[in-house]
Amino acid sequence: MAHVVFTANLQRHVPSPPQDVPGATVREVLDAAFAANPRVRGYVLDDQGELRQHMVVFVDGVQVRDRVRLSDPVAPDAEVYVMQALSGG
Amino acid sequence: MGDRILAATRKGLFTIARGARGWQVAGAAFLGDNASMLLHDARDGALYAALEHGHFGAKLHRSDDGGATWPEIATPAYPPKPEGDGDRNTWKLARVWSLEAGGADQPGRVWCGTVPGGLFVSNDRGATWELVRSLWDHPDRRRWFGGGVDQPGIHSILVDPRDPRRVLVAVSCGGVWETTDDGATWNVRAAGMRAEYMPPDRVHDPVIQDPHRVVLCAGAPDALWCQHHNGIFRSTDGAASWQEIENASPSVFGFAVAVHPRDPETAWFVPAIKDEKRIPVEGRVVVGRTRDGGRSFEILHAGLPQVHAYDLTFRHGLDVDASGTRLAFGSTTGSVWVSEDQGDTWQTVSEHLPPVYAVRFCAAT
């Protein structure tokens, strides 16, 4: 199970506690997390299901490269951090 | 008479109320958040607020208790962009730029105009939204372009009080569009507008006009006023044709316009030096008023700063109340002024709010 942590700044808008979810890619992991907490999806992904312009995801400390399909692999016990990009101010 | 004003600002939604000591800021919601638009739906008293979170995207909230609580409602969402579609616009909500209530006989109907140019409709008070595909799929929609922002946006939605199946929307930069069949079909209605930012053979192209703001006289709905990027235009035939008003002083440039709710000859503007500077002429904040359909203008400034004032008023930053007597406007510098005599004199409500994006009178609740 991957351990998914959302930026603390998101908590002000929508409760988003850490979750342990299955999945082999960033897409699968996030989809599993959103299934349990659907409101969070629109705060992290845009209308086209891509990572929002000023959001970033790290898997075991490495920033994900595929922001469109979210195909980066996720190890079974990975730490996934969904953070704000400073490009967004 | 409007005794309450809501102001959507860069850092929250503020309530301004008329009390024993005059007009004062009476409350705030969403402090710290960027509020791009608001709506008071007089049919059911609901308040709507659009937020634009820098990281988390645009969101909508509604209050059914006069602003005490603001639960989030559905966000208008664009459908998947088809693979290989060459549309230069994203199919992603960037900003909620207009919110308007439907007709009296359309309970729950709310219209929502957005950047990058999609018009959305809800029939359940924002619980669900649907993109108006007839306009989005119109081939001319792809000729719209952004003005001041990267992508085009719908900033004005005018529901005909005689027949709410007739709706006009105005687009920067995409002209004015009309439906008479509740959104099934659309036609551009910008004949007579002129775009001096275009090459000569495109100046009168209706689909690339930049109406900064269009308003409709509720008591005479065929009367429309438009503050356009390079001038002021007026229509007296329901947007079938537009006539340019060339003699407005001190400038024909600006963003905001308001029209008297019953007198179609009376309208107000907040002028600025066009186009490259966008500051008040000579550093003086003034309001322009015509009472004769644009044949002449008065420059109103009593109570407004006249020395080194660089307040700019955006397109939704000016409003007139339902009586036609009270006006309010807000500025990029965080000032808000109110007039109780059609603009003859002004009271300062605040000079220290965040940049003001939208000001609207609403009935007290």
Side-chain angles (χ1 to χ4, degrees):
Chain A
M1 300 283 263
H3 186 63
V4 182
V5 178
F6 295 96
T7 168
N9 295 322
L10 185 54
Q11 312 295 325
R12 188 163 70 84
H13 305 292
V14 51
S16 43
Q19 294 186 48
D20 293 306
V21 291
T25 65
V26 172
R27 175 75 70 191
E28 290 177 9
V29 165
L30 290 183
D31 279 350
F34 299 148
N37 194 351
R39 270 189 65 203
V40 174
R41 186 177 198 279
Y43 285 78
V44 176
L45 305 183
D46 64 28
D47 308 39
Q48 302 300 316
E50 302 170 14
L51 195 59
R52 286 195 173 279
Q53 181 182 3
H54 298 304
M55 296 295 284
V56 286
V57 174
F58 293 88
V59 177
D60 288 330
V62 178
Q63 186 172 336
V64 306
R65 295 168 58 180
D66 180 0
R67 303 173 55 87
V68 175
R69 290 179 295 121
L70 304 175
S71 62
D72 289 33
V74 176
D77 57 352
E79 298 274 339
V80 178
Y81 278 85
V82 180
M83 310 296 288
Q84 294 168 291
L86 289 188
S87 58
Chain B
M1 200 85 77
D3 281 329
R4 189 168 67 143
I5 298 164
L6 288 179
T9 80
R10 180 68 182 80
K11 292 289 180 182
L13 182 70
F14 293 86
T15 302
I16 296 163
R18 187 178 194 273
R21 291 187 294 161
W23 292 89
Q24 291 189 313
V25 177
F30 305 110
L31 266 180
D33 292 330
N34 183 359
S36 64
M37 184 41 61
L38 66 100
L39 168 68
H40 170 248
D41 188 341
R43 299 170 304 175
D44 60 9
L47 298 170
Y48 295 81
L51 303 182
E52 198 174 316
H53 301 302
H55 302 85
F56 306 128
K59 303 287 182 273
L60 281 173
H61 295 253
R62 188 184 71 226
S63 178
D64 293 322
D65 53 15
T69 60
W70 288 92
E72 187 178 343
I73 56 175
T75 306
Y78 284 79
K81 188 173 185 177
E83 196 81 28
D85 189 310
D87 190 350
R88 63 186 169 183
N89 294 320
T90 66
W91 292 32
K92 300 177 180 181
L93 178 66
R95 174 181 299 169
V96 170
W97 219 14
S98 44
L99 286 168
E100 296 294 343
D105 61 348
Q106 297 173 319
R109 166 68 66 88
V110 182
W111 296 97
C112 175
T114 71
V115 178
L119 177 67
F120 290 82
V121 64
S122 175
N123 289 304
D124 52 17
R125 308 173 75 235
T128 59
W129 295 94
E130 186 178 352
L131 177 65
V132 178
R133 291 300 301 241
S134 51
L135 186 57
W136 183 249
D137 293 336
H138 194 293
D140 280 341
R141 192 272 303 167
R142 294 181 181 235
R143 296 211 286 126
W144 301 356
F145 52 81
V149 293
D150 289 346
Q151 300 186 87
I154 296 176
H155 50 68
S156 299
I157 302 169
L158 313 171
V159 178
D160 191 327
R162 299 164 300 192
D163 174 10
R165 295 167 52 81
R166 178 171 178 269
V167 178
L168 294 162
V169 301
V171 187
S172 288
C173 305
V176 179
W177 292 76
E178 177 190 47
T179 180
T180 57
D181 51 17
D182 206 28
T185 59
W186 296 85
N187 289 290
V188 67
R189 297 285 185 239
M193 288 187 181
R194 177 180 65 85
E196 65 183 29
Y197 46 84
M198 293 296 283
D201 61 344
R202 300 285 305 283
V203 162
H204 296 287
D205 182 347
V207 176
I208 52 74
Q209 298 297 322
D210 183 12
H212 282 176
R213 180 77 171 135
V214 178
V215 293
L216 168 154
C217 177
D222 285 333
L224 302 160
W225 287 89
C226 171
Q227 174 65 68
H228 183 285
H229 185 90
N230 51 254
I232 292 170
F233 294 82
R234 181 191 189 211
S235 175
T236 56
D237 55 12
S241 67
W242 295 86
Q243 293 78 47
E244 187 163 6
I245 307 292
E246 297 179 358
N247 62 336
S249 59
S251 162
V252 297
F253 180 85
F255 292 96
V257 53
V259 60
H260 190 285
R262 289 178 304 283
D263 174 10
E265 303 283 295
T266 296
W268 296 266
F269 300 83
V270 187
I273 298 176
K274 75 141 191 171
D275 167 9
E276 302 81 359
K277 291 189 176 178
R278 303 185 179 198
I279 53 174
V281 178
E282 297 176 349
R284 303 169 62 219
V285 175
V286 302
V287 171
R289 178 179 65 195
T290 179
R291 293 184 188 274
D292 54 12
R295 282 184 289 280
S296 66
F297 283 81
E298 304 162 83
I299 300 172
L300 311 171
H301 57 78
L304 299 174
Q306 300 300 296
V307 179
H308 281 300
Y310 300 104
D311 298 73
L312 185 67
T313 294
F314 283 155
R315 68 196 75 212
H316 303 110
L318 168 69
D319 196 23
V320 59
D321 81 340
S323 76
T325 304
R326 293 179 174 171
L327 291 133
F329 72 107
S331 80
T332 52
T333 308
S335 301
V336 174
W337 298 280
V338 176
S339 172
E340 298 190 340
D341 51 17
Q342 297 196 321
D344 288 339
T345 61
W346 295 88
Q347 307 168 34
T348 302
V349 177
S350 177
E351 296 171 307
H352 304 291
L353 290 176
V356 176
Y357 294 143
V359 165
R360 297 186 98 161
F361 281 95
C362 47
T365 57

